[in-house]
């Protein structure tokens, strides 16, 4: 009999034969990397360990990247990952960007965010919304020497980003920008800024327009640099626009459709920041494992105590769960499938995992966890930003709740 009955309807029996044997079109595991992806991971890991690690403490103390390090990131090919080779870029995928940010953040999340904003926000937005003239003017430089920044937030508009007040008025073939942006990552290093302003505050989000503003444009200045708790080497500054004339040809996307540019970039960029948090958590666990295998108390390595082992095991499990969420969201994005809720879930989860992993590392280092001579207090400070930028944790929960209640 090949049907099973429930009294009122017959159901065809499922045939498991083909499913039981692994076959060519079986779905690969999310963490299975292609040969290219494995090579990329190895190269960036070597760079992070050899080139970045010796600079981490100094960059944190001085709150600055040496320009030579940024030049080396360009040389490595990680500042224009998705830029097509025809523009001088690396011709990679979004998933490649995610892997790079993970490996960099494992050693220094400040470097992770520099590279993340460049790739997953700025370049991503220009590739999708820039016309061919804008692409010609920006992409070859962004792939070879120029840093980019993404300027949406203002003093009055953070979570409620579209309440922004920076004005853009048309004057001949230019727009005149007036206003201030706050919290802009990469502002100190950037040559290109994607700036969101409103052409009509009464139109609400439908007035928002995205502009390309170049460093050196009269009326535009990078203002005060923030003195931060964590990711200190990454610059976070105010931008000031005072009668700043931007050619109308610098509108990115369509006039009044800047909200689409902003949302699309943020939704994708968020996955990169999740990866920054994942990298941080892995870095913290690496340090904790190494230290607990060396530090002796009660005549034994502290890693020999089951209480310590269980804490490490729980962190490793959380890291693996965060990795699966993030890799899934990134691969969905590369396949052109919806990923909004998945990205929000990654953000809330990975930022919490990072905070817990860094906190555990500090605990397991004991007194040494509390001083700057050891690397984990920095990771603890760095972890906090994951719950704030590119949409706070509450805003991510709002996105998830909206989806499940719809
Ligand atoms: C280091 C750093 C780098 C940054 N880089 C950039 C950048 O490159 N470009 C850029 O444009 N911006 C950037 N930002 C800004 C960042 O995105 C904002 O700080 C963030 O979106 C939060 O906005 P806010 O600071 O105004 O906080 P607020 O929006 O005032 O939020 C304060 C608190 O209220 C909660 N809250 C607000 N609204 C709700 C609600 N509806 N329901 C429940 N809770 C709510 C929030 O979750 C939060 O806990 C950066 C910020 C920092 C600190």
């Amino acid at each position: 009999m090949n049907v099973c009955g429930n009294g009122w309807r017959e159901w065809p029996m499922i045939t498991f034969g083909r499913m039981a044997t692994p076959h060519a079109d079986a779905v690969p595991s999310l963490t299975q990397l292609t040969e290219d992806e494995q090579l990329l991971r190895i190269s960036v890991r070597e760079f992070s360990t050899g080139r970045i690690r010796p600079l981490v403490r100094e960059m944190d103390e001085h709150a600055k990247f040496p320009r030579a390090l940024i030049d080396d990131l360009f040389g490595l090919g990680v500042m224009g990952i998705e830029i097509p080779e025809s523009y001088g870029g690396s011709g990679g995928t979004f998933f490649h960007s995610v892997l790079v940010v993970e490996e960099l953040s494992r050693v220094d999340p400040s470097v992770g965010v520099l590279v993340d904003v460049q790739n997953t926000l700025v370049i991503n937005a220009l590739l999708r919304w820039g016309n061919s003239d804008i692409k010609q003017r920006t992409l070859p430089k962004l792939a070879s020497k120029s840093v980019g920044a993404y300027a949406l937030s203002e003093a009055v508009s953070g979570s409620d980003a579209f309440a922004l007040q920076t004005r853009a008025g048309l004057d001949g073939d230019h727009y005149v920008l007036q206003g201030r942006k706050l919290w802009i990552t990469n502002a100190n290093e950037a040559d290109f800024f994607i700036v969101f302003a409103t052409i009509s505050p009464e139109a609400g989000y439908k007035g928002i327009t995205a502009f390309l503003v170049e460093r050196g444009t009269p009326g535009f200045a990078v203002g005060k640099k923030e003195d931060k708790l964590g990711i200190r080497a990454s610059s976070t500054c105010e931008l000031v626009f005072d009668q700043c004339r931007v050619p109308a040809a610098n509108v990115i996307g369509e006039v009044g459709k800047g909200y689409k540019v902003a949302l699309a970039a943020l939704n994708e960029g968020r996955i990169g920041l999740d990866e920054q948090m994942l990298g941080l958590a892995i870095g913290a666990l690496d340090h904790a494992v190494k230290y607990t295998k060396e530090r002796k108390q009660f005549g034994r390595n502290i890693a020999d105590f089951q209480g310590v082992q269980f804490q490490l095991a729980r962190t490793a499990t959380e890291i693996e769960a965060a990795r699966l969420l993030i890799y899934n969201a990134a691969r969905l994005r590369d396949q052109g499938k919806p990923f909004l809720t998945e990205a929000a879930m990654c953000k809330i989860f990975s930022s919490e995992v990072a905070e817990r992993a860094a906190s555990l590392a500090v605990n397991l280092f004991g007194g040494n966890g509390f001083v700057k001579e050891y690397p984990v207090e920095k990771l603890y400070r760095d972890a906090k930003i994951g719950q704030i930028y590119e949409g706070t944790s509450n805003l991510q929960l709002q996105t998830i709740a909206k989806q499940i209640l719809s």
Side-chain angles (χ1 to χ4, degrees), residues 53-123:
R53 196 179 293 290
L55 300 173
V56 172
R57 188 159 168 211
E58 186 189 326
M59 294 195 301
D60 183 57
E61 277 174 11
H62 296 157
K64 199 170 173 11
F65 298 120
R67 178 67 214 194
L69 174 63
I70 297 177
D71 292 340
D72 287 348
L73 288 164
F74 278 105
L76 192 65
V78 298
M79 294 298 273
I81 296 171
E82 280 191 90
I83 296 180
E85 286 167 288
S86 54
Y87 288 105
S90 301
T93 63
F94 185 80
F95 189 74
H96 288 143
S97 304
V98 160
L99 280 182
V100 168
V101 173
E102 176 184 324
E103 287 303 327
L104 296 173
S105 304
R106 196 168 168 163
V107 171
D108 192 343
S110 295
V111 182
V113 73
L114 165 81
V115 172
D116 177 59
V117 168
Q118 173 87 353
N119 285 287
T120 72
L121 280 180
V122 177
I123 291 171

Side-chain angles (χ1 to χ4, degrees), residues 113 117 121 149-161 181-186 196 226 228 230-231 234-236 266 385 387-395 398:
V113 73
V117 168
L121 280 180
Y150 174 96
L152 178 64
S153 303
E154 299 182 6
V156 292
S157 56
S159 300
D160 187 10
K181 293 285 170 186
L182 202 61
W183 310 119
I184 307 310
T185 301
N186 291 354
F196 295 87
E226 303 297 338
K228 307 196 298 290
I231 56 163
S234 159
S235 64
T236 310
L266 282 177
I385 192 60
Q387 295 174 38
I388 299 172
Y389 59 12
E390 285 201 33
T392 64
S393 294
N394 277 355
L395 271 284
Q398 199 179 67

